[in-house]
Amino acid sequence: ETGVTQSPTHLIKTRGQQVTLRCSSQSGHNTVSWYQQALGQGPQFIFQYYREEENGRGNFPPRFSGLQFPNYSSELNVNALELDDSALYLCASSLVGLASHEQFFGPGTRLTVL
Amino acid sequence: EDKVVQSPLSLVVHEGDTVTLNCSYEVTNFRSLLWYKQEKKAPTFLFMLTSSGIEKKSGRLSSILDKKELFSILNITATQTGDSAIYLCAAIPNSGSRLTFGEGTQLTVNP
């Protein structure tokens, strides 16, 4: 197991609601990336946070937003939930300067939108 | 747009068989290709390949990268039921650490 934790483990919401997912990075890591993995698909990059600022974003609408805190933990917020937002949300922590494979994934949050 | 394609999407074999999983990529400013194993939720790192033609090996798993033809393969010999998982490949560019994943190959190893 990596030192990356995510909460909650599972979540059920209805269309139009808002959700906040949380990620605690591995000790010493200063970068957090968020991915969305729909059923039967590979993870898709949402965005990355470094030093509390967004540092790259994938093809996701503005209703997907995030934060990184001084302790490097991070939140993913999704507004106006849609059925297609149902997926496993993964965060990965890393340390800028390390080799690119040094990204450690958390166990994910399974979001179901009804 | 960066793209990674894996094949086959699913594979069912018997214990002891050897399998080859394929990954092709089209990535601007490509730096490395990574393989992950995903059993339940969190993908776990297997290999990182940066140089063409150099095989990486770990036990019964091995992988190689061809940067001319833009593909990689992951071989698993003498498969075991514990190898059942989704195998993901991901490409990473020179700039940043954003991973572009393929769809994954669902491997099922039957006893």
Side-chain angles (χ1 to χ4, degrees):
Chain A
E1 276 192 20
T2 71
V4 182
T5 60
Q6 291 186 244
S7 63
T9 306
H10 298 88
L11 201 52
I12 298 174
K13 292 284 189 178
T14 56
R15 275 186 302 174
Q17 286 189 309
Q18 178 266 341
V19 69
T20 297
L21 311 181
R22 295 178 176 82
C23 172
S24 292
S25 58
Q26 181 151 316
S27 177
H29 283 186
N30 57 12
T31 302
V32 173
S33 303
W34 285 92
Y35 294 84
Q36 180 197 65
Q37 187 176 20
L39 198 62
Q41 302 292 316
Q44 299 293 312
F45 176 76
I46 303 175
F47 43 54
Q48 182 183 84
Y49 276 83
Y50 169 61
R51 289 187 175 178
E52 302 177 53
E53 291 194 4
E54 189 178 287
N55 183 41
R57 187 180 183 93
N59 294 325
F60 281 82
R63 59 189 185 84
F64 285 78
S65 62
L67 284 172
Q68 187 180 33
F69 299 100
N71 66 354
Y72 304 127
S73 66
S74 178
E75 286 183 355
L76 165 64
N77 298 292
V78 187
N79 293 321
L81 284 167
E82 301 177 0
L83 296 179
D84 285 348
D85 295 333
S86 295
L88 179 68
Y89 288 84
L90 297 163
C91 76
S93 80
S94 57
L95 179 63
V96 170
L98 287 185
S100 58
H101 68 287
E102 295 276 343
Q103 287 196 39
F104 297 94
F105 283 87
T109 293
R110 173 74 64 187
L111 172 64
T112 301
V113 182
L114 303 176
Chain B
E1 185 178 328
D2 294 345
K3 190 176 178 183
V4 175
V5 177
Q6 292 186 245
S7 64
L9 294 182
S10 70
L11 192 55
V12 180
V13 300
H14 292 289
E15 268 191 320
D17 288 350
T18 293
V19 298
T20 298
L21 309 183
N22 303 295
C23 175
S24 64
Y25 62 91
E26 292 177 29
V27 174
T28 304
N29 295 322
F30 172 84
R31 176 171 59 178
S32 301
L33 191 124
L34 295 86
W35 284 96
Y36 289 87
K37 178 181 182 181
Q38 187 176 28
E39 291 181 83
K40 291 181 181 177
K41 287 189 176 180
T44 54
F45 171 78
L46 294 175
F47 297 112
M48 182 180 74
L49 302 154
T50 302
S51 300
S52 203
I54 298 175
E55 185 182 54
K56 292 280 184 86
K57 197 169 171 67
S58 176
R60 296 176 293 103
L61 277 67
S62 63
S63 185
I64 197 162
L65 176 68
D66 185 328
K67 293 174 78 172
K68 183 180 177 184
E69 300 297 329
L70 308 182
F71 79 90
S72 173
I73 59 172
L74 175 68
N75 282 316
I76 309 175
T77 59
T79 51
Q80 302 171 356
T81 55
D83 295 328
S84 296
I86 297 170
Y87 290 84
L88 296 163
C89 71
I92 193 160
N94 275 318
S95 56
S97 55
R98 165 185 181 160
L99 298 174
T100 299
F101 282 90
E103 288 182 312
T105 294
Q106 173 73 65
L107 174 66
T108 303
V109 182
N110 290 322

